[in-house]
Amino acid sequence: MRLRETMILTSFVLAFCAIAGAAISSPFTPSGNYTPTFVECPSNTEFVRSASRGLAQGEQAWLQKRRSNVVPALEQYLNTAGIDGFDVGSYLSCLDGDLDSAVPVIGLTLSGGGTRAQISGLGLYQAMDGRYAPAVEAGTGGLLQAITYVAGLSGGGIATTQLGIHGFPLLSDLIANNNFNLTLNSSAFGELVGKAELGFPLTIADIFGIAAIYNGLIPFGGSTADPMSFTWSGIQAQPAFQKGSIPMSILMANEVIPPGVDGSNAFNSPNGTILLPAEGSNTVYEFTPFEFGSWTGRVQAFAELDYLGTTLYGGDPVNTTLCVLGYDAATFLGGITTAAINFWFAENESNGTVGQFAKRQDIPYPANEDTIEQERVAAINAPLVADLPEFAGLLETNVSDILYALVPNPFFGYDKGVDAGASSQAELYLVDGSETGQLNPIWPLLQPERGLDLIIVSDNGGTELSSGWMNGTSLRNTYLAAEAQGLPFPKIPSVNTMLNLNYTSKPVLYGCWEPDVPIVLYAADFPYTAYTNLSFIVTSVTNSQVTDLSSNGLALFSQDSNRRADGWTQCIACAAVDRSLSRIGWSRPDACEKCFKKYCWDGTVDDRQPSFLEPALVLDPSLTWAEWNPTVFY
């Protein structure tokens, strides 16, 4: 039964109408669990708006507070990094006099890649945390406190959900709170009943929310709050967020138009995947604590997140007594951004390969690379795929109906920035944010309205090469998509060049010589102190394993405290302030000019066939995986 049909049953629903719609005052659902609540609609709320109006008013107001917190954070960080000859005090005085335009806007993206991406992404997060003494000693600690946005999808979306809901805690606190327990809490599935009884469709996103997110949201301090009661819009109620003292978390998802729906783009591209934004068909959605929507594609509009799930037409509630609160449960949204089951399950009829494998740039590396990867990932996911028909039977539906997250379309009947196809759909079909071939959730941070100066890309996908390491495909896909849509992004070389120049084995900067784009610091996961190339679905991980695996991030990001790259951590600081310096009329310091020449891509191309990438530990090359593995995964 669909939501609009259920709403006719007002005798059942009106029992939930005692709560009046109000501003965000709690991080939890009104029901205290996963079940949404029907409330009377507020009379002074604009439920939908065109993206042409820029940032949400709530985000704009929050940014004012965040900028004032970034300045003192930069002072601590820049003094830690120590750019030679740079007058930190004078620079900060200039920022204080022009907070709106001078303060640097820095973003961090945490890529997809399952549990491996979750842990490795949080390892890089820890490497920038000014509260983590080893990071401060390495010269990278404190940059986190100056970051404005953190975006995540899939495995990185799990990490981003943990950070956003828990208010950006220490990684060690997440570990101590047992938030990496992968044991499935089967009792939580009972909470889905309340949502289903109200007529909301249950899909794979609800299941993934429990399987991947639930334990990660177990609250701190002995609180008995239900992990499934946290809402994404409820982040607004956190005192630290209201003060602007922590970054904003953004989740990224993609749209699929399944077969049978007008304009279907599910499996109709030449290589069997949904089309990349560069090819003109895909809509990339974002969930901020304020809004849900998209800047580009079929939908260029946003809806108030706290009322997601409300039946709207033309931007207004169909029934003003039946607005919905609590539909934006963090487990559900996290489940959406990890829901790639359609790629695992659906087979491309033209060439017999699973859609996911065609996402990376096709180079014969080695000749049987595709076969190796398909066999590896298919073996990992075989049990999950095998269970789908049984699961569908429990829901009395078809497998094809649960492959996507179904969300009541807030843009139904809305014509300002929404094309006719999207406006005519009562529901949106959403999937894992990586399904456009962009495993890194950079897209929300590319929008000119946010004015990013530096984007730090933590790439931990592990599906591009059969050895479980990256070849830069996802970063290049974003470049191609941005170029096609006229968005500012630095030039990115081919994957052959990145591999041949070792740009996936160490952090590298892009865009230093392109003044009208954000600088991108690309850090692909690589084995420095740990072989982190786990299968992207693992069934268990211990706290000590999380500690061992995440510690790799500091050695990678700091280049072993500059021992592997002299002056590298200063260069990170240079990238953090470079665009800001230009806006206040300062010249680039000599130390930054020199380090950019050393560590920023200068346009050199090497498109020869690369050798197969199967590295040893950078800091202990004599320790093979076969020797290391028993000491960690024993």
Side-chain angles (χ1 to χ4, degrees):
M1 182 181 295
R2 295 296 188 233
L3 177 61
R4 291 182 310 284
E5 298 169 327
T6 303
M7 285 188 170
I8 299 173
L9 305 178
T10 55
S11 60
F12 174 75
V13 173
L14 288 175
F16 293 89
C17 289
I19 304 174
I24 299 295
S25 59
S26 169
F28 304 107
T29 61
S31 66
N33 54 47
Y34 195 65
T35 305
T37 300
F38 289 103
V39 301
E40 186 171 344
C41 300
S43 58
N44 59 347
T45 295
E46 183 182 33
F47 291 89
V48 182
R49 68 175 182 87
S50 169
S52 64
R53 286 164 47 185
L55 295 178
Q57 290 183 355
E59 184 172 344
Q60 292 180 48
W62 174 85
L63 274 171
Q64 294 291 326
K65 299 175 183 177
R66 183 60 187 155
R67 291 188 185 106
S68 64
N69 282 278
V70 166
V71 174
L74 274 175
E75 180 176 17
Q76 292 185 350
Y77 167 63
L78 292 173
N79 285 327
T80 294
I83 301 173
D84 292 339
F86 183 62
D87 188 341
V88 174
S90 296
Y91 168 65
L92 294 174
S93 295
C94 291
L95 297 189
D96 276 331
D98 191 5
L99 287 178
D100 286 347
S101 63
V103 174
V105 182
I106 305 170
L108 168 66
T109 71
L110 302 179
S111 80
T115 302
R116 177 258 188 93
Q118 175 191 10
I119 295 172
S120 294
L122 288 172
L124 199 72
Y125 162 86
Q126 179 175 253
M128 294 183 284
D129 194 343
R131 300 164 297 180
Y132 182 56
V136 175
E137 293 169 7
T140 56
L143 180 55
L144 171 66
Q145 281 66 34
I147 284 175
T148 297
Y149 296 104
V150 175
L153 63 79
S154 199
I158 298 173
T160 303
T161 303
Q162 290 178 295
L163 296 177
I165 294 302
H166 291 304
F168 287 82
L170 286 159
L171 174 56
S172 58
D173 288 344
L174 284 171
I175 295 172
N177 199 48
N178 206 26
N179 288 126
F180 292 91
N181 177 9
L182 301 182
T183 302
L184 183 64
N185 189 321
S186 57
S187 63
F189 287 107
E191 292 201 42
L192 302 184
V193 174
K195 181 176 179 179
E197 287 181 341
L198 293 181
F200 294 98
L202 296 184
T203 63
I204 200 65
D206 298 278
I207 304 303
F208 272 26
I210 294 173
I213 311 290
Y214 182 92
N215 288 337
L217 298 189
I218 293 173
F220 287 8
S223 169
T224 58
D226 183 350
M228 293 178 72
S229 69
F230 286 104
T231 63
W232 201 242
S233 60
I235 290 174
Q236 297 178 56
Q238 296 178 12
F241 185 82
Q242 291 179 344
K243 295 175 183 176
S245 58
I246 57 175
M248 178 186 295
S249 302
I250 302 175
L251 294 175
M252 176 175 147
N254 292 314
E255 180 185 36
V256 165
I257 311 172
V261 177
D262 289 344
S264 172
N265 68 346
F267 299 104
N268 63 349
S269 74
N271 60 11
T273 69
I274 61 177
L275 303 182
L276 301 179
E279 297 170 295
S281 79
N282 197 267
T283 303
V284 177
Y285 286 94
E286 64 180 42
F287 295 92
T288 75
F290 300 102
E291 291 184 324
F292 161 71
S294 176
W295 296 95
T296 58
R298 301 195 317 149
V299 171
Q300 297 177 32
F302 289 91
E304 286 287 310
L305 182 65
D306 46 335
Y307 290 104
L308 187 67
T310 300
T311 297
L312 304 176
Y313 187 83
D316 296 315
V318 171
N319 187 328
T320 59
T321 65
L322 294 176
C323 275
V324 176
L325 292 178
Y327 186 82
D328 65 318
T331 51
F332 178 54
L333 302 195
I336 290 175
T337 194
T338 62
I341 197 85
N342 59 306
F343 263 171
W344 303 338
F345 185 81
E347 190 170 282
N348 175 17
E349 296 178 359
S350 64
N351 59 23
T353 60
V354 178
Q356 175 166 344
F357 306 117
K359 286 193 296 182
R360 71 166 187 275
Q361 186 170 329
D362 186 20
I363 56 175
Y365 179 65
N368 63 340
E369 172 76 8
D370 284 330
T371 301
I372 292 173
E373 188 187 349
Q374 288 175 38
E375 291 175 349
R376 180 177 74 91
V377 181
I380 294 167
N381 297 310
L384 185 59
V385 171
D387 288 341
L388 269 179
E390 181 178 355
F391 171 65
L394 291 175
L395 295 182
E396 298 181 353
T397 186
N398 296 319
V399 170
S400 60
D401 291 337
I402 64 168
L403 292 180
Y404 318 104
L406 270 63
V407 174
N409 183 8
F411 313 109
F412 188 41
Y414 190 77
D415 61 1
K416 297 179 179 65
V418 181
D419 75 13
S423 179
S424 65
Q425 285 182 224
E427 293 169 320
L428 297 176
Y429 299 78
L430 304 182
V431 292
D432 186 308
S434 69
E435 291 199 18
T436 58
Q438 298 186 66
L439 206 64
N440 300 297
I442 302 171
W443 204 252
L445 306 188
L446 280 188
Q447 307 312 314
E449 290 80 0
R450 292 199 168 106
L452 269 289
D453 297 311
L454 170 66
I455 302 175
I456 302 164
V457 178
S458 177
D459 192 357
N460 313 292
T463 61
E464 294 172 355
L465 301 174
S466 61
S467 56
W469 305 109
M470 274 53 72
N471 67 7
T473 293
S474 181
L475 184 68
R476 182 166 170 81
N477 282 348
T478 299
Y479 157 63
L480 294 173
E483 184 179 49
Q485 298 203 17
L487 293 174
F489 198 72
K491 294 179 177 64
I492 303 296
S494 68
V495 296
N496 285 30
T497 292
M498 280 188 265
L499 290 167
N500 288 327
L501 298 183
N502 296 316
Y503 284 176
T504 63
S505 66
K506 59 187 178 182
V508 63
L509 295 166
Y510 294 98
C512 304
W513 320 113
E514 302 171 63
D516 297 325
V517 303
I519 293 177
V520 169
L521 194 169
Y522 177 67
D525 193 23
F526 206 73
Y528 278 70
T529 63
Y531 288 97
T532 53
N533 57 331
L534 309 176
S535 299
F536 63 83
I537 291 182
V538 295
T539 57
S540 65
V541 63
T542 67
N543 286 345
S544 63
Q545 289 166 348
V546 174
T547 299
D548 288 339
L549 293 169
S550 61
S551 66
N552 188 71
L554 180 57
L556 165 68
F557 193 64
S558 72
Q559 285 295 281
D560 193 27
S561 300
N562 294 308
R563 284 184 281 270
R564 295 196 59 82
D566 183 52
W568 164 247
T569 58
Q570 286 189 38
C571 212
I572 298 175
C574 288
V577 301
D578 187 73
R579 300 311 195 230
S580 170
L581 294 178
S582 178
R583 288 197 295 274
I584 64 174
W586 281 32
S587 299
R588 181 180 286 170
D590 289 342
C592 295
E593 189 76 18
K594 291 176 181 177
C595 85
F596 283 174
K597 290 179 179 178
K598 192 173 183 179
Y599 298 121
C600 193
W601 182 52
D602 60 3
T604 299
V605 172
D606 184 349
D607 278 333
R608 295 172 298 165
Q609 174 72 22
S611 58
F612 185 63
L613 184 64
E614 194 167 13
L617 290 181
V618 172
L619 300 187
D620 190 0
S622 65
L623 184 60
T624 66
W625 179 88
E627 295 171 314
W628 173 86
N629 186 58
T631 68
V632 177
F633 286 88
Y634 39 82

